[in-house]
Amino acid sequence: MIQIHPFSPEHASGVVDVILPIQQQEFEIPITLEGQPDLKDIPGFYQKGRGNFWVALDAGKVVGTIALLDIGNEQVALRKMFVAASHRGREHGAAARLLEGAVAWARAQGVRQIFLGTTAKFLAAHRFYEKNGFRQIAQEALPAAFPVMVVDTRFYALDCA
């Protein structure tokens, strides 16, 4: 049974073990742990203001991640949404539960909008976000504080109010 929990330091290596193989091997994105300093300080980067970071656990093992980064103006950036291949799909519900939890948190924190950037390669992610109420927007429509990543080519927004 998959459980969703806020990140705590004992999850650190499990988070890296889920995210890096998806980025590097599955999608062949040339990114390293060193290129993602946020993963080395999750509490200091994400768990402040209206932001947070959650993990999906199966029998205590990290199988998924999601984060909200507070970018000010009652807005957050959705980041680091990854689910291990072994736990994808409706039968596991990990992705849906991670996203539902993050959106519920955002609403409870008074967030007005959630923005995200993703790559053109993540076709299943595009369908997932659209199915969950996100609308595609132009990069120019992003708030100035949104941290565009080098690999981001497609952008989405969700109104929480």
Side-chain angles (χ1 to χ4, degrees):
M1 172 85 175
I2 293 177
Q3 298 179 318
I4 309 301
H5 292 281
F7 172 87
S8 61
E10 70 263 17
H11 302 131
S13 64
V15 166
V16 172
D17 291 346
V18 167
I19 293 175
L20 278 183
I22 293 170
Q23 292 172 323
Q24 295 173 342
Q25 296 158 21
E26 191 172 342
F27 291 100
E28 299 178 347
I29 296 171
I31 193 165
T32 64
L33 179 58
E34 290 70 33
Q36 301 175 83
D38 58 322
L39 291 180
K40 293 183 176 184
D41 183 17
I42 288 171
F45 197 84
Y46 293 108
Q47 294 179 306
K48 58 187 185 178
R50 290 181 165 107
N52 210 339
F53 193 108
W54 297 268
V55 293
L57 301 174
D58 185 1
K61 180 181 181 199
V62 176
V63 297
T65 64
I66 192 169
L68 294 178
L69 175 66
D70 188 337
I71 59 172
N73 199 28
E74 299 173 336
Q75 298 171 318
V76 295
L78 189 151
R79 305 275 300 270
K80 304 299 184 192
M81 175 135 197
F82 292 97
V83 175
S86 60
H87 287 76
R88 291 182 195 152
R90 194 169 282 138
E91 65 274 14
H92 297 286
R97 292 188 57 209
L98 283 163
L99 184 61
E100 287 166 8
V103 170
W105 162 273
R107 287 187 170 125
Q109 299 299 311
V111 169
R112 291 183 300 107
Q113 294 172 300
I114 300 172
F115 295 93
L116 69 92
T118 187
T119 76
K121 293 181 180 183
F122 292 178
L123 300 178
H126 303 164
R127 289 189 300 273
F128 174 76
Y129 292 128
E130 290 165 6
K131 184 179 83 177
N132 284 282
F134 283 80
R135 68 185 190 289
Q136 188 174 354
I137 61 171
Q139 183 172 350
E140 298 75 34
L142 292 168
F146 182 86
V148 176
M149 306 302 288
V150 174
V151 296
D152 290 345
T153 57
R154 193 166 174 141
F155 303 93
Y156 288 90
L158 176 72
D159 293 323
C160 294

